[in-house]
Amino acid sequence: MGATLRAVRALVLLSGFYLLGLGLLALLGAADWVAVLWAPAATRIKILVVSVLLAIPVVRGMAMLRTPRDEEPGGLLVTEADEPRLWATVRELAREVGTRAPDEIRLTADVNAAVTEDARLLGLVGGVRRLYLGLPLAAGLDEAGLRAVLAHELGHYVNADTRLAAIGARGRVQVGRMIELFHAKADAKVDKERARQERRSEKRISRGRKAKEIDTDGAGVTYRTMAKIYTAYGRLYLRSTTSGARRQELAADLAAARLAGRDATARALRTIPAIDAANDFYLSSYAALGTEFGLLPARGEVFGGVRHLLAARAEELAGLREELPDEPASPYDSHPPTAERVARVEALPDDGRGAEGSGPALGLLASPDAALAAIEDVSLTPETRRMRRLDWPDLVHEAMSARVARGTEELRAAAGAATGAAGTVELPALLDAIDAGSAWEIADRLPKSEEAAAATGRAAREFARPALRQGLSAMVTDELLRSGRARWELSWTGPATLTLPDGTADALSAALDAATADLPDTGPLRALLSRPTPLPH
């Protein structure tokens, strides 16, 4: 479908929003006319009031002709002086695609690349063009793959996708506004009805009568009905534009294959979902490992550390490249399934250009480390940037140690309550309490499941033993960590590991078993803790 037909379709769909509003107003007007002619006076007034209340949001929504301006462009703006090689590559690809190069390039912290255009007059007049490039995406691609990604994005300019997006965005914004507006009205009615019923209940209780159950099911039903009508149109709107958006993506893939090569484009398409999954895992398991304790990776590593994970788990990523999703993320996904896109590209004739043989994509940047550091300044909140920065080994050790320390809190509290101690109960005092026969009284004060709470006798003890052992293990580990006799070690291929002096792990397990036996014996634990051997750093 050409740009003209796509523009006409988008305008028809946008016009449909206003026609829907006019149709609803006509229905409300017809209801008012019927009420005036035949309804009793009391009913007539109610219908007229409801009609006016429903008509106001419809008229307001139709009057909001201007789509609100987007927020300021995000990301880190880089000039040709900042990144000459990246800009030269983008300009070269733009010439080969046959379009005007973007006016701005902005680096982001996302696994994504995108282009936008500040078009005017619903896309009839072009505007400022921006190219967004996510550094975590570039971290997982080679240079040939990044060229394919950039060519794909620039291909959207050729097809006028970015300019015509303004029309589609107008319709989505308008429909979304109406849905939100009617839901807000409905929620306000529910809140008002709930408050009214609560006041009535309070009066009934003050008179010694039983309060009625609050029921707000009927409140705001007319507003919710209107919201459902606009929601149905919104779904039609999205479904009608989705097919066109998917064709645009396939056309941009062909542009990428023509410029960067069939194999490089197919490999990039296969790699991007793997990078996305790896980056999500990295952010949650590594970058954010210490945030709850006020700790962050060293500058430049918050988003740049994914490079270490990608390098260490290259085999896993190779497997992920073969597991392509063959269904769209949702019926309204603007992109075809990745498997379909890859199949279409790989079905192209061999152009003699392989996918390998190029350097890392971050090599296009003047200083990848500096760029990854600078991107933190525009992506992280001021509060986050003020956190303490640590190198990866120290970050993992301190964050995991803090987690262990937090895991001791329940046992410390239980021991304090059982022994009447004031303040924090340290490990020596806990061992003394166990020796004094308070082990199971302490264990009984630990959080327990409903089944454990209902158990008695021997069964209750068997439920309590694992919790007591786990808490005691945390307290002993915390002591070993604080004294330098244990350390958490970073691993990019698996979870962090706790390193103990030779022979300590087996001795610790046996000592914990002894301390939580039916007749507790803390001697082995005390002997283990008295060993002065620290770990070498």
Side-chain angles (χ1 to χ4, degrees), residues 170-213:
R170 171 67 60 85
R172 289 191 294 272
V173 168
Q174 296 294 76
V175 174
R177 278 175 175 169
M178 296 300 295
I179 294 171
E180 290 178 4
L181 187 58
F182 280 117
H183 276 301
K185 291 281 188 181
D187 291 341
K189 290 286 287 185
V190 169
D191 292 341
K192 184 176 180 180
E193 178 63 17
R194 182 183 299 278
R196 186 185 69 81
Q197 293 186 31
E198 286 175 349
R199 289 194 299 270
R200 292 183 62 181
S201 295
E202 290 173 1
K203 290 181 180 179
R204 292 178 66 89
I205 293 172
S206 66
R207 296 170 183 170
R209 300 168 65 185
K210 184 178 178 180
K212 291 183 178 180
E213 183 179 353

Side-chain angles (χ1 to χ4, degrees), residues 444-466:
D444 188 55
R445 294 175 181 270
L446 291 170
K448 53 176 71 83
S449 65
E450 292 184 7
E451 187 179 6
T456 58
R458 181 72 184 182
R461 180 167 295 190
E462 292 307 314
F463 273 116
R465 195 188 311 277

Side-chain angles (χ1 to χ4, degrees), residues 332-355:
Y332 312 113
D333 193 348
S334 62
H335 289 60
T338 302
E340 177 187 342
R341 297 174 66 187
V342 170
R344 285 174 176 266
V345 172
E346 291 181 342
L348 296 173
D350 187 356
D351 53 20
R353 293 177 286 179

Side-chain angles (χ1 to χ4, degrees), residues 58-262:
V58 174
V59 173
R60 284 182 58 193
M62 294 173 62
M64 293 177 182
L65 296 177
R66 183 181 178 86
T67 302
R69 287 185 177 273
D70 294 335
E71 297 178 357
E72 286 298 315
L76 174 69
L77 177 65
V78 292
T79 65
E80 286 194 73
D82 299 325
E83 299 294 348
R85 192 170 174 218
L86 175 61
W87 266 101
T89 300
V90 171
R91 291 193 186 283
E92 172 197 341
L93 291 171
R95 284 194 300 270
E96 294 181 7
V97 169
T99 189
R100 176 168 62 88
D103 303 293
E104 296 179 2
I105 296 179
R106 291 177 175 267
L107 305 180
T108 72
D110 306 314
V111 180
N112 191 30
V115 288
T116 64
E117 185 168 3
D118 292 343
R120 293 168 292 166
L121 297 178
L122 295 180
L124 297 177
V125 179
V128 175
R129 290 182 170 185
R130 295 185 181 90
L131 168 66
Y132 294 87
L133 174 61
L135 293 188
L137 172 64
L141 294 173
D142 57 18
E143 189 173 323
L146 182 58
R147 286 177 63 89
V149 169
L150 295 174
H152 171 101
E153 297 304 329
L154 293 169
H156 286 303
Y157 285 136
V158 176
N159 295 320
D161 301 343
T162 53
R163 287 201 290 117
L164 295 180
I167 307 175
R170 171 67 60 85
R172 289 191 294 272
V173 168
Q174 296 294 76
V175 174
R177 278 175 175 169
M178 296 300 295
I179 294 171
E180 290 178 4
L181 187 58
F182 280 117
H183 276 301
K185 291 281 188 181
D187 291 341
K189 290 286 287 185
V190 169
D191 292 341
K192 184 176 180 180
E193 178 63 17
R194 182 183 299 278
R196 186 185 69 81
Q197 293 186 31
E198 286 175 349
R199 289 194 299 270
R200 292 183 62 181
S201 295
E202 290 173 1
K203 290 181 180 179
R204 292 178 66 89
I205 293 172
S206 66
R207 296 170 183 170
R209 300 168 65 185
K210 184 178 178 180
K212 291 183 178 180
E213 183 179 353
I214 294 177
D215 180 10
T216 60
D217 288 345
V221 64
T222 51
Y223 286 124
R224 296 197 192 282
T225 300
M226 296 289 280
K228 288 180 180 179
I229 294 173
Y230 277 100
T231 299
Y233 184 76
R235 288 177 179 152
L236 170 65
Y237 193 103
L238 289 172
R239 285 187 180 275
S240 299
T241 56
T242 294
S243 60
R246 292 178 182 175
R247 285 193 295 271
Q248 293 166 18
E249 294 300 324
L250 295 174
D253 287 343
L254 293 178
R258 178 170 58 84
L259 270 64
R262 181 197 67 177

